[in-house]
Amino acid sequence: MSENISYREALRMAIREAMLEDERVFLMGEDVGHYGGAYAVSMGLLKEFGAQRIIDTPLCESAFTGAGIGAALNGMRPIVEIMTANFSLLALDQIINNAASLLHMSGGQFNVPLVIRMASGGGKQLGAQHSHSFEGWFAHIPGLKILTPATVQDAYDMLHLALADPDPVLIFENALLYNSKGALETQKKALPIGKAFQHRSGKDLSIFTYGISLFKALEAAETLSAEGIDAEVIDLRSLRPLDDEAIMASVAKTHRVLIVDEGWRSGSISAEIMARINEQAFFELDAPMRRVCTEEVPLPYSQHLEQAAIPQSEKIVDMARTLME
Amino acid sequence: MSENISYREALRMAIREAMLEDERVFLMGEDVGHYGGAYAVSMGLLKEFGAQRIIDTPLCESAFTGAGIGAALNGMRPIVEIMTANFSLLALDQIINNAASLLHMSGGQFNVPLVIRMASGGGKQLGAQHSHSFEGWFAHIPGLKILTPATVQDAYDMLHLALADPDPVLIFENALLYNSKGALETQKKALPIGKAFQHRSGKDLSIFTYGISLFKALEAAETLSAEGIDAEVIDLRSLRPLDDEAIMASVAKTHRVLIVDEGWRSGSISAEIMARINEQAFFELDAPMRRVCTEEVPLPYSQHLEQAAIPQSEKIVDMARTLME
Amino acid sequence: MYLDLNRGREFYKKMLLIRRFEERCVELYSHEKIRGFLHLYIGEEAIAVGIMQALGAEDAVLATYREHGHALARGISANKVMAELYGKAEGASRGRGGSMHIFDAKSRFYGGSAIVGANLPLAVGMALSDKMMQRKRVTVCFFGDGAVAEGEFHESINLTALWQLPVLFVCENNLYGMGTALTISHSETNLARKAAAYRVHSQQVDGMDVLKVAQAAEEAVQRIHSAGGPVFLECLSYRFRAHSMYDAELYREKAEVEEWKTKDPLVLLQKRLETMGLWEETNAQGLEDEVSQIVNEAVDFAEKGTLEPIEDLMKFVYTPKEKQ
Amino acid sequence: MYLDLNRGREFYKKMLLIRRFEERCVELYSHEKIRGFLHLYIGEEAIAVGIMQALGAEDAVLATYREHGHALARGISANKVMAELYGKAEGASRGRGGSMHIFDAKSRFYGGSAIVGANLPLAVGMALSDKMMQRKRVTVCFFGDGAVAEGEFHESINLTALWQLPVLFVCENNLYGMGTALTISHSETNLARKAAAYRVHSQQVDGMDVLKVAQAAEEAVQRIHSAGGPVFLECLSYRFRAHSMYDAELYREKAEVEEWKTKDPLVLLQKRLETMGLWEETNAQGLEDEVSQIVNEAVDFAEKGTLEPIEDLMKFVYTPKEKQ
Ligand SMILES: Cc1ncc(C[n+]2csc(CCOP(=O)(O)OP(=O)(O)O)c2C)c(N)n1
Ligand SMILES: Cc1ncc(C[n+]2csc(CCOP(=O)(O)OP(=O)(O)O)c2C)c(N)n1
Ligand SMILES: [Mg+2]
Ligand SMILES: [Mg+2]
């Protein structure tokens, strides 16, 4: 049952299965069809499902995202692909003022079962207009759910979970993960939206993270372990809702907190997690909480600057050492 | 020299002065001219300065905001008015991908001296598409400066400060403040961008806030004072940059922190302030920090629900009591 | 379109209902029974009434923030609309929407939208689903002359033309977007011509004449059913009242308003019926009485309505578990 | 436009420089000297060269993410462009921009923009300032056929027409936006006609013929200076290479590409010169050598370039104090 496939393939498999299972599911976005997807996620699907269900849109993020909302209102289960998270800014009015608000404004009459996927994150030397990580920022918006699959299993599961959800769900796929490989169990019941997952148990400090930073954190935990520091590593998986319970349980165990996220530091999801721990588990803390985020700069092109700007395993190790002082 | 005028008049006076002083300054936005401004800020200016400098735009938030950026790049000092903060979502691509990024992407060659003003905040029963407070959310974006004038003096000063700044500055005017009156000194040197202002000194707890919540906090402080609780009230004034120094100084004095802001709770500017205090002044804290924010709901129309959703003086008092326990 | 007594009475009554309903709203606003923004449709009644009569129950409607008229013409009860304006739980949107956000699932009325132009992409998606599922339905989307300048207009109309979707675009051109005149909003002020540039079948219609609107709407719906693609109707009209309750109307001349009032859709229909010798039989006073009763009842209903419990504030941020 | 030896050599050399420069880029990309996205202009050289020659130093240029050609044609040194691709401090944008973000204040080259369509509003504002300050300048804005579907196109072109602003819109219609063909992007595929619907003077031009582009550009600039308003040129062209370095080109036939290669702007110009008996004198080999030297030097310059110190990472998020 378990296969070793890529994150990209896991996504494609999930989309394919959903489309085979449910005629209401379709995929829409720029270059999802003839091109095969900017990151090749939908490669081959046009051939299998035809242009009616794998829809190449013109360049018009606001209208095709809004069209996804309209289709969801009208009984469909659309998957809208936005090529890169930066471009989602063009569709934010639709996402916030419509998708996130319609259920409430209509007094509960109109829910919006829409899935929006987008490639996110830095590290590919694509510069300031293609590299930003907005998932933590989107997590501010009530009415939305924000998923950040890190593993192949989650890439697959979360697409299914999102489609089954009655409300708008945004999936942020870190573009550097598409080629990563991992085990996939397709028959296992998926861990629900809103549940964190502990990838490594530890007693000295808790590292909360998500997406690609999970792997950097795990790497850091190995290094720390060699120094005798035993780090717990928890993948948040979902940034809205956050799994307060899992977070507080870990804090109660380790009493030290490090958060790693790819958003810019100020106003990051790290800040929100710190705020909640402060509110809910203040007296458990033995030291100030720490965070490793992206430096507050539009991401530069040159590799050395870009790498200096984003979280790295070494920075995590350093920060963990500070935390243990 | 000191006059008692409205917040609206203070803004208008500042715009007028700036336009008289500097031919590069102009005002552009929906209904700023013939209509007189949705909140009447620019009433009369069309007559005085003509349609070349008080420019009524068609409905096209993205293009006229982008045009403001272009004009700023080309030597002007534009003031762009976005009628309501919710509509700024339509212009976010221009604000983030262009205004906030151009200086960095161009290696320091092209700065963007643009001022964007918008009406913000709930409490007017305008529903979910006209009431949200995004100032704290915008504060996440490097490259921007975020100002939130609460007083008549700041309404006036901040417009001048913003125009003098070489980089993009966003001014969030809480719409309920336009009619508020207060003293204005036009000859006084303005408190710079990035400096908080202490409105009330206290020794038991620090209330950090901004915008309209300042007045709710001051009211709460009076009530608390009657109960023997001595609250310090600090107006942050600028949400990016934040005045860490003033914040930490106050924490070092009171050891207890309450933050009041009109953004939705999760991912609010309150969270960021908590994160920084945790990082910079953890051992000063005698109790978990607390926040009073807007409930995480698209703001409803009915008055009782809307009022229940946004921060109120009573909630601040209650939370302060919890904090003092 | 053929005018007979029945149709004459029906159209007249519907337009009158909107008119009297909104006149009452103005009163209620001054008594602070209604709050927030209140945008009146007075003067433009012929558009909503003329369009809606061409629709079936299966068709969908997307309106603006000036949508009391659309809601009433679509058949949502005055009670529900008024209760919404009062912010009551019995309102169309349980008081959570207010004047700008009337919703009604039963009549497929998808709001009430207060971001100008933002309902247009929704129309694309609604019609796209209907086409995909081979349902014979039309999605009608109302918007103003001002909205045509927004990027979403361009993006949406292109998609409907490109994909040949069953959307009826109804542009209510009342010559102003808030205080900004058509001529300072658009380089091409003939908006039907603008739409035609996307290869969409487009037409200007006298929006003060309910019969002409009705006829154009029926033809449009027919064309959408037969040819499949979208149709764009530019309804030339005028808003008799201020943009909202806060507007000093500095941007237009009183004389212009008065001039347009001579084209009042109610008066126009009356004149037609008079010419045909049907006015007497119309029994306008009887209709006034009926309408007055509906409006009175609506106010009564709203007054007696209840408030959503404050404990339910957070309801409907996400779909409640029991509804999933 | 009159073709003489001087002009022939100049145009040929400029187009050749872009061609050879980018061919070298492909090599360097495979050696990982250049990273990130790299969008080649090969096949479209006639557009940038034809347009730029009509501009003065005081005019401004806004380009796309496919802008090596625009940058070189505008006269930015190959050294600076190549160093930017290498991510070096000596690059046009100090290595912070990369291939998609070449900037140069000296030549009024305002980027390099990687959000499709997002440079259009900037053009409005730049031209608006020039008009307000009564400066006799033109702002040229380049964008693709794909960009025309974005809302910002609609909003921006309306503003320039409405306010009669001195913008030269250059639409590089290469028949595809990434892998999406023109015909599945636009209901009206004649983009000049689309622009004309805003009452903007518009024209289709053979974008493979540098002379035709140059002529159209000169006329456009003249018209902008005399009539004041914007001009829209749709340059019909083709991208010979993949969209970027990652593109499998599944969306178009090899034969189509080959067909278009017969219209190669370099070959076309050569043929013209041959017909006129000027080709020999052009001394193509000499130009090849000159260009080759420029490109070699550029690579050398880039190789020797330095990296911005990591401590300077946060520089240019805000204007440094010393520059204020
Ligand atoms: C995106 C957006 N921008 C601005 C506004 C403020 N506003 C509300 S109605 C309106 C005028 C709209 O004009 P039009 O589309 O002609 O409709 P009308 O009000 O005339 O019916 C404006 C500017 C808004 N609600 N949404
Ligand atoms: C807003 C936005 N959406 C999508 C993209 C991804 N993208 C980059 S180039 C491109 C195609 C643009 O086509 P066109 O405007 O015709 O220019 P061309 O590349 O053909 O020169 C796309 C979809 C982007 N950069 N920006
Ligand atoms: Mg209008
Ligand atoms: Mg193209």
Side-chain angles (χ1 to χ4, degrees):
Chain A
M1 270 296 118
S2 160
E3 302 177 68
N4 204 55
I5 65 171
S6 74
Y7 187 97
R8 172 185 293 111
E9 287 162 336
L11 279 165
R12 188 186 306 142
M13 193 184 289
I15 295 171
R16 211 183 143 260
E17 286 173 7
M19 290 187 63
L20 289 170
E21 264 165 37
D22 187 344
E23 60 164 6
R24 299 172 306 168
V25 176
F26 66 98
L27 177 69
M28 172 162 65
E30 287 159 8
D31 293 303
V32 296
H34 295 89
Y35 190 94
Y39 289 99
V41 168
S42 51
M43 188 73 77
L45 297 182
L46 173 65
K47 203 162 167 205
E48 183 170 1
F49 294 101
Q52 301 298 315
R53 295 182 69 197
I54 303 291
I55 305 177
D56 273 330
T57 67
L59 278 136
C60 55
E61 283 75 9
S62 198
F64 73 72
T65 303
I69 300 170
L73 286 171
N74 203 3
M76 305 301 282
R77 290 292 176 276
I79 306 171
V80 166
E81 177 176 311
I82 294 179
M83 208 180 269
T84 296
N86 275 71
F87 314 158
S88 72
L89 301 179
L90 285 160
L92 259 190
D93 171 60
Q94 286 297 332
I95 296 173
I96 298 180
N97 286 326
N98 278 341
S101 304
L102 278 163
L103 180 68
H104 195 83
M105 292 194 306
S106 66
Q109 292 179 86
F110 293 114
N111 63 312
V112 181
L114 170 67
V115 178
I116 302 177
R117 299 171 38 240
M118 43 187 138
S120 167
K124 304 173 301 304
Q125 291 194 249
L126 300 182
Q129 295 184 331
H130 278 63
S131 304
H132 292 149
S133 293
F134 289 123
E135 54 278 353
W137 197 55
F138 271 97
H140 178 58
I141 309 299
L144 303 181
K145 294 180 181 168
I146 307 295
L147 306 184
T148 53
T151 65
V152 168
Q153 185 71 45
D154 272 349
Y156 173 87
D157 283 345
M158 285 183 179
L159 194 103
H160 282 299
L161 289 167
L163 277 170
D165 199 279
D167 299 310
V169 179
L170 275 56
I171 304 180
F172 289 82
E173 301 160 9
N174 188 296
L176 288 176
L177 291 175
Y178 286 122
N179 286 330
S180 67
K181 294 213 161 193
L184 175 66
E185 292 247 26
T186 56
Q187 302 302 317
K188 214 173 60 177
K189 197 171 148 33
L191 198 59
I193 289 178
K195 288 287 167 216
F197 185 77
Q198 182 191 294
H199 277 265
R200 190 182 197 284
S201 172
K203 60 179 193 340
D204 295 334
L205 76 152
S206 304
I207 305 184
F208 301 110
T209 186
Y210 68 87
I212 196 165
S213 301
L214 170 65
F215 304 101
K216 299 179 183 174
L218 286 169
E219 194 187 321
E222 286 310 305
T223 309
L224 290 166
S225 157
E227 298 177 17
I229 299 175
D230 187 18
E232 179 146 307
V233 178
I234 291 183
D235 178 3
L236 297 163
R237 297 180 71 249
S238 153
L239 303 188
R240 185 178 189 97
L242 277 171
D243 189 349
D244 285 9
E245 207 179 324
I247 294 170
M248 303 315 150
S250 181
V251 175
K253 179 173 154 195
T254 65
H255 311 292
R256 286 174 199 262
V257 172
L258 173 56
I259 309 164
V260 184
D261 98 73
E262 258 211 37
W264 288 304
R265 184 179 300 107
S266 295
S268 58
I269 192 74
S270 297
E272 177 58 26
I273 295 166
M274 286 182 173
R276 292 194 189 190
I277 294 172
N278 152 79
E279 286 166 330
Q280 300 173 40
F282 181 76
F283 295 105
E284 297 287 353
L285 291 173
D286 284 349
M289 300 172 271
R290 298 292 172 189
R291 52 182 163 170
V292 175
C293 299
T294 289
E295 297 300 327
E296 306 193 42
V297 56
L299 282 183
Y301 163 71
S302 353
Q303 192 176 27
H304 68 298
L305 293 179
E306 186 185 29
Q307 291 298 321
I310 61 184
Q312 304 292 355
S313 157
E314 301 75 48
K315 291 191 209 173
I316 301 172
V317 169
D318 283 350
M319 195 57 99
R321 287 191 196 121
T322 307
L323 180 60
M324 296 310 298
E325 270 163 16
Chain B
M1 271 293 122
S2 160
E3 303 178 67
N4 203 54
I5 64 171
S6 75
Y7 187 96
R8 172 184 294 111
E9 287 162 335
L11 280 165
R12 187 186 307 141
M13 193 184 288
I15 295 171
R16 210 182 144 260
E17 285 173 7
M19 290 186 64
L20 289 171
E21 263 165 36
D22 185 344
E23 60 164 5
R24 300 171 307 167
V25 176
F26 67 98
L27 177 69
M28 170 162 67
E30 288 159 7
D31 293 304
V32 297
H34 295 89
Y35 190 93
Y39 289 98
V41 168
S42 51
M43 188 73 79
L45 297 183
L46 173 65
K47 201 159 169 210
E48 182 169 1
F49 294 101
Q52 300 300 313
R53 295 181 71 195
I54 302 292
I55 305 177
D56 273 329
T57 67
L59 278 134
C60 56
E61 282 76 7
S62 199
F64 73 72
T65 303
I69 300 169
L73 285 171
N74 203 2
M76 305 299 283
R77 290 292 178 276
I79 306 172
V80 166
E81 175 174 311
I82 295 179
M83 210 181 270
T84 295
N86 274 71
F87 314 157
S88 72
L89 301 179
L90 286 160
L92 259 189
D93 170 61
Q94 286 298 333
I95 296 173
I96 298 179
N97 286 327
N98 277 342
S101 304
L102 278 163
L103 180 67
H104 194 82
M105 293 193 304
S106 66
Q109 291 179 86
F110 293 113
N111 64 311
V112 180
L114 170 67
V115 178
I116 302 177
R117 299 172 38 240
M118 42 188 140
S120 169
K124 304 173 302 302
Q125 291 194 249
L126 300 182
Q129 295 183 332
H130 277 66
S131 305
H132 292 149
S133 293
F134 289 123
E135 55 278 354
W137 197 54
F138 271 96
H140 178 57
I141 309 300
L144 303 181
K145 294 181 182 169
I146 308 295
L147 306 185
T148 54
T151 64
V152 167
Q153 185 72 45
D154 272 350
Y156 174 88
D157 283 345
M158 285 182 179
L159 194 103
H160 282 301
L161 288 168
L163 277 170
D165 200 278
D167 298 311
V169 179
L170 276 56
I171 304 181
F172 289 81
E173 300 160 9
N174 188 296
L176 288 175
L177 291 175
Y178 286 123
N179 286 331
S180 67
K181 294 213 161 192
L184 175 66
E185 293 247 26
T186 55
Q187 301 304 316
K188 212 172 61 176
K189 197 171 149 30
L191 199 59
I193 289 177
K195 288 286 167 217
F197 185 78
Q198 181 190 298
H199 277 265
R200 191 183 196 283
S201 173
K203 62 180 192 343
D204 295 334
L205 77 152
S206 304
I207 305 183
F208 300 111
T209 187
Y210 68 88
I212 196 165
S213 301
L214 169 64
F215 304 100
K216 300 178 184 176
L218 286 170
E219 195 188 319
E222 285 310 305
T223 310
L224 290 166
S225 157
E227 298 177 18
I229 300 174
D230 187 18
E232 178 145 309
V233 179
I234 292 183
D235 178 4
L236 297 162
R237 298 181 71 247
S238 153
L239 303 188
R240 184 177 190 98
L242 277 171
D243 188 349
D244 286 9
E245 205 180 324
I247 294 171
M248 302 315 151
S250 181
V251 175
K253 177 174 156 195
T254 66
H255 311 293
R256 286 174 199 262
V257 172
L258 174 55
I259 308 162
V260 185
D261 98 73
E262 258 210 37
W264 288 305
R265 184 179 301 105
S266 294
S268 57
I269 192 76
S270 296
E272 177 58 26
I273 295 166
M274 286 181 173
R276 293 194 188 188
I277 294 172
N278 151 80
E279 287 167 330
Q280 299 173 40
F282 181 76
F283 294 105
E284 297 288 353
L285 291 174
D286 284 349
M289 299 171 272
R290 299 292 172 189
R291 53 183 163 172
V292 175
C293 299
T294 290
E295 297 301 326
E296 305 193 41
V297 56
L299 281 184
Y301 164 70
S302 353
Q303 192 177 26
H304 68 299
L305 292 179
E306 187 186 27
Q307 290 300 321
I310 60 184
Q312 304 292 356
S313 155
E314 300 76 47
K315 292 193 209 172
I316 302 171
V317 169
D318 284 351
M319 195 56 101
R321 287 191 195 119
T322 307
L323 181 61
M324 296 311 299
E325 271 164 16
Chain C
M1 169 171 284
Y2 179 71
L3 180 61
D4 60 16
L5 181 61
N6 264 348
R7 184 168 275 158
R9 294 198 78 214
E10 183 200 328
F11 287 0
Y12 194 85
K13 183 176 167 189
K14 283 189 175 157
M15 293 200 294
L16 193 67
L17 174 61
I18 299 172
R19 178 73 54 97
R20 298 291 178 250
F21 183 94
E22 290 205 330
E23 285 166 351
R24 183 67 75 85
C25 287
V26 176
E27 269 176 50
L28 293 165
Y29 199 90
S30 71
H31 292 107
E32 303 197 357
K33 295 288 188 180
I34 302 175
R35 309 293 299 265
F37 284 161
L38 184 74
H39 305 92
L40 302 180
Y41 199 58
I42 292 177
E44 309 184 34
E45 297 92 339
I47 306 175
V49 171
I51 299 288
M52 296 299 179
Q53 62 83 41
L55 305 182
E58 69 289 356
D59 296 327
V61 179
L62 290 153
T64 63
Y65 44 85
R66 193 183 295 292
E67 88 284 23
H68 311 149
H70 308 110
L72 293 171
R74 181 61 177 165
I76 304 177
S77 76
N79 285 4
K80 273 185 145 184
V81 179
M82 189 60 86
E84 188 59 33
L85 301 183
Y86 267 69
K88 296 292 176 74
E90 292 74 12
S93 309
R94 306 180 75 104
R96 290 171 197 259
S99 164
M100 304 198 284
H101 301 295
I102 311 273
F103 287 83
D104 186 53
K106 223 179 60 216
S107 56
R108 304 202 74 228
F109 193 85
Y110 288 85
S113 173
I115 303 294
V116 173
N119 56 354
L120 287 152
L122 304 187
V124 175
M126 307 240 342
L128 176 65
S129 335
D130 287 336
K131 180 167 184 170
M132 287 172 91
M133 295 319 231
Q134 295 174 304
R135 303 178 197 125
K136 208 175 137 67
R137 290 174 174 178
V138 171
T139 297
V140 182
C141 187
F142 291 89
F143 52 96
D145 48 292
V148 172
E150 290 279 5
E152 295 194 322
F153 169 79
H154 171 76
E155 297 184 356
S156 302
I157 197 162
N158 181 44
L159 290 181
T160 59
L162 194 63
W163 297 342
Q164 287 293 295
L165 302 179
V167 174
L168 173 52
F169 292 103
V170 181
C171 178
E172 306 181 313
N173 181 355
N174 59 11
L175 297 180
Y176 293 89
M178 218 162 139
T180 304
L182 183 67
T183 47
I184 60 172
S185 268
H186 298 285
S187 59
E188 168 59 73
T189 52
N190 182 320
L191 303 178
R193 200 179 292 156
K194 221 173 163 107
Y198 298 85
R199 299 186 168 276
V200 169
H201 182 86
S202 311
Q203 188 186 336
Q204 284 191 328
V205 185
D206 179 353
M208 306 307 271
D209 186 335
V210 67
L211 279 203
K212 291 208 178 126
V213 175
Q215 167 125 14
E218 294 201 347
E219 285 167 12
V221 168
Q222 216 124 62
R223 168 180 277 270
I224 290 168
H225 283 316
S226 60
V231 171
F232 180 97
L233 295 182
E234 180 188 358
C235 299
L236 301 165
S237 181
Y238 201 79
R239 145 169 80 62
F240 290 176
R241 304 291 184 118
H243 168 72
S244 73
M245 305 308 284
Y246 297 108
D247 172 6
E249 292 188 73
L250 303 173
Y251 49 83
R252 61 183 190 181
E253 300 294 332
K254 281 240 160 58
E256 183 184 285
V257 183
E258 292 314 313
E259 171 66 27
W260 273 93
K261 281 190 180 163
T262 65
K263 303 179 193 159
D264 187 322
L266 283 162
V267 175
L268 211 75
L269 182 56
Q270 174 176 344
K271 282 196 189 140
R272 268 186 191 273
L273 289 164
E274 280 171 358
T275 314
M276 296 175 71
L278 293 173
W279 179 244
E280 286 280 287
E281 281 179 84
T282 303
N283 185 10
Q285 191 51 52
L287 295 179
E288 279 282 6
D289 295 344
E290 284 178 49
V291 159
S292 167
Q293 199 181 329
I294 296 173
V295 173
N296 285 336
E297 260 181 42
V299 173
D300 221 48
F301 179 81
E303 286 281 353
K304 291 198 187 113
T306 59
L307 293 176
E308 285 265 271
I310 284 184
E311 308 79 67
D312 284 356
L313 169 63
M314 303 301 291
K315 218 168 152 179
F316 312 131
V317 179
Y318 298 98
T319 301
K321 271 278 171 309
E322 67 272 15
K323 279 212 182 179
Q324 290 188 21
Chain D
M1 171 170 283
Y2 181 70
L3 181 60
D4 61 16
L5 182 63
N6 264 347
R7 184 169 274 159
R9 295 198 79 212
E10 182 200 327
F11 287 180
Y12 194 86
K13 181 176 168 188
K14 282 189 175 158
M15 296 199 293
L16 194 69
L17 173 62
I18 299 173
R19 179 72 53 96
R20 299 293 176 248
F21 183 92
E22 290 205 330
E23 285 166 352
R24 182 67 74 84
C25 287
V26 176
E27 269 175 51
L28 293 165
Y29 198 89
S30 71
H31 291 107
E32 304 197 355
K33 295 288 189 181
I34 301 175
R35 307 295 298 267
F37 284 160
L38 183 73
H39 305 92
L40 302 181
Y41 198 58
I42 291 177
E44 309 184 34
E45 296 91 339
I47 307 176
V49 171
I51 298 288
M52 297 300 178
Q53 61 84 41
L55 305 182
E58 69 290 356
D59 297 325
V61 180
L62 290 153
T64 64
Y65 43 86
R66 194 183 296 292
E67 90 281 24
H68 312 149
H70 307 111
L72 294 171
R74 180 62 176 166
I76 304 177
S77 78
N79 285 4
K80 272 186 146 183
V81 179
M82 189 59 86
E84 187 58 33
L85 301 183
Y86 266 68
K88 296 290 177 74
E90 292 74 13
S93 310
R94 306 181 74 104
R96 292 173 195 256
S99 165
M100 305 198 284
H101 302 294
I102 311 272
F103 288 82
D104 186 52
K106 223 180 58 214
S107 55
R108 304 202 73 226
F109 193 83
Y110 289 85
S113 172
I115 304 293
V116 173
N119 55 354
L120 287 152
L122 303 188
V124 175
M126 307 236 345
L128 175 65
S129 337
D130 287 337
K131 181 168 183 169
M132 287 172 91
M133 295 319 233
Q134 295 174 303
R135 302 178 197 125
K136 206 173 137 66
R137 289 174 175 180
V138 171
T139 298
V140 182
C141 185
F142 291 89
F143 52 97
D145 49 292
V148 172
E150 290 278 6
E152 294 193 323
F153 169 78
H154 170 76
E155 296 184 355
S156 302
I157 196 163
N158 181 45
L159 290 181
T160 58
L162 194 62
W163 297 342
Q164 287 295 295
L165 302 178
V167 175
L168 173 54
F169 292 104
V170 181
C171 178
E172 305 181 313
N173 181 355
N174 57 12
L175 296 179
Y176 293 89
M178 214 161 145
T180 303
L182 183 67
T183 48
I184 59 172
S185 269
H186 297 285
S187 59
E188 168 60 71
T189 51
N190 182 319
L191 303 177
R193 201 179 292 156
K194 223 175 162 103
Y198 298 84
R199 300 186 169 277
V200 168
H201 183 84
S202 309
Q203 185 186 340
Q204 284 191 327
V205 185
D206 179 353
M208 307 307 271
D209 186 335
V210 66
L211 278 203
K212 289 204 181 130
V213 176
Q215 166 127 14
E218 295 202 345
E219 284 166 15
V221 168
Q222 215 125 63
R223 168 179 277 271
I224 290 168
H225 283 316
S226 59
V231 170
F232 179 96
L233 295 182
E234 179 188 0
C235 299
L236 300 164
S237 181
Y238 201 79
R239 142 170 81 66
F240 290 176
R241 303 292 183 116
H243 168 72
S244 72
M245 304 308 283
Y246 297 107
D247 173 6
E249 293 187 71
L250 303 172
Y251 49 83
R252 61 182 189 182
E253 300 294 332
K254 281 240 159 59
E256 183 185 285
V257 183
E258 293 313 313
E259 171 65 27
W260 273 93
K261 282 191 179 163
T262 66
K263 303 179 193 159
D264 186 322
L266 283 162
V267 175
L268 212 75
L269 182 55
Q270 174 176 345
K271 281 194 191 141
R272 270 187 192 271
L273 289 164
E274 280 169 358
T275 315
M276 297 175 72
L278 295 171
W279 179 243
E280 285 281 286
E281 279 179 86
T282 303
N283 183 10
Q285 191 52 51
L287 295 179
E288 279 283 5
D289 295 343
E290 283 179 49
V291 159
S292 167
Q293 197 181 332
I294 296 174
V295 174
N296 285 336
E297 260 181 42
V299 174
D300 221 49
F301 179 81
E303 286 281 351
K304 291 199 187 116
T306 59
L307 293 175
E308 285 265 273
I310 285 184
E311 309 79 69
D312 283 356
L313 170 62
M314 304 301 291
K315 215 167 154 179
F316 311 132
V317 180
Y318 298 98
T319 301
K321 271 277 171 311
E322 68 272 16
K323 277 211 182 178
Q324 290 186 23

